[in-house]
Amino acid sequence: MAKEKINMPQLGESVTEGTISSWLVEPGDTVNKYDPIAEVMTDKVNAEVPSSFTGKITELVASEGDTIEVGELMCYIETEGGGEEASSGDAGEDKTEAPVEKEAVGDADDQADEDQPMKKRYSPAVLRMAQENDIDLNQVKGSGRGGRITRKDLEKLIASGDIPKAGDKQPEQAKQEAPKQEAPAAPSQPAAASAQPAPSGPQPTAQEGDVEIPVTGVRKAIAQNMVKSKTEIPHAWMTVEVDVTNLAELRNAKKDEFKQKEGFSLTYFAFFVKAVAQALKEFPELNSTWAGDKIIQRKAINLNIAVASGNQLFVPVIKDADEKSIKGIAKDITDLAKKARDGKLTSADMEGGTFTVNNTGSFGSVQSMGVINHPQAAILQVESIVKRPVFMNGMFAARDMVNLCLSLDHRVLDGLVCGNFLARVKEILENMTKENTSVY
């Protein structure tokens, strides 16, 4: 029998980690190759992880709720095939690790290195986080298998404010020297780290009658992405008011016939997405991303739309939105929303977005400031259409009005181009009439 590893697979473009929402097997279970063994959530999609081998599950290394990086170990499986060592050679490492742990109380420095054979194998996420926060990884003690430094290790460091910089003393050395000097000096240390990202501080505690709700993997992933967007991207905001009275008349005139003929609804949102796609074609600056020493302007216009399902939020993509009719966009919106509700979104549904349009108006919102979907350069919030009196042609008239709220990455975009973009979207929408606009 051979002992093999099953690692976290790549679950989509730019997905670096996944959270095990549930194991579908337990030690002792026999599975065939490609049988699903676990359900995994990422910030983009829920997916089942198939077994890479046929055999018997012997150990679940990761627990439900654990977030682990792509390529890291999930579980062991015993396969038939006799005596060959594990293909990657990793199993051999594991055989030697156990005895090492038993002797763990010896030479501190040497032992630490032996216990951490994976210490200097960094994931892209860890490297990026270290660069962004100027962390010297040589001074970080990893909690992952084989001493590997994980994203969680760095998040704890950042939250604590005690970030090791290049040239600082090794943590172990500091620990040894500290008692010899002034032990009471500790309270002054946080002040020196005040330039770092705000530490989380004491965590709130529940009082009698409060309800504690565990943070799920998806919620955790959303939180991490939002922090990343808000800490990395300098946001600025603009809002424009649009008179969509003509559009309302157009949509109301066609919606019943359309629904009967096509089998799905002709929503306002499809018209807004169409207008945004058309304007992005004319203002490609907004269809771009910050890439450190350059800005990448995307050719494809792939629009993320936000879809909520229960307490989960997904942002599937309408591909090549500029090439589609209003009917085609409406169908994509319907299909993606249904797949999100049914938990059937795939990695392909979530990949390649270049700009995000969020239908906040569906909740009755009239103004909001969206958080940019990293690494895109902007997000547009379509607010609720409200009928209200507007002064025009020397008198008040009841008009259908809507606010479009744009959040922009100020590294990439300035007010001029964003103002012109919003003015163009406004112009397109205000000129959509029954006479000049086809939904096909």
Side-chain angles (χ1 to χ4, degrees), residues 93-104 145:
E93 288 179 21
D94 295 328
K95 289 175 185 175
T96 61
E97 275 182 24
V100 170
E101 290 173 5
K102 289 177 183 176
E103 300 170 8
R145 194 172 189 84

Side-chain angles (χ1 to χ4, degrees), residues 258 262 264-267 269-271 273-274 305 317-336 438-440:
F258 183 90
E262 305 296 341
F264 53 91
S265 297
L266 181 63
T267 63
F269 193 47
F271 293 91
V273 171
K274 178 64 179 177
I305 58 171
V317 180
I318 299 175
K319 304 281 175 61
D320 299 317
D322 56 315
E323 299 175 4
K324 294 182 176 175
S325 65
I326 293 170
K327 175 206 162 185
I329 291 171
K331 186 169 191 314
D332 278 4
I333 293 171
T334 301
D335 291 345
L336 292 171
S438 170
V439 297
Y440 294 99

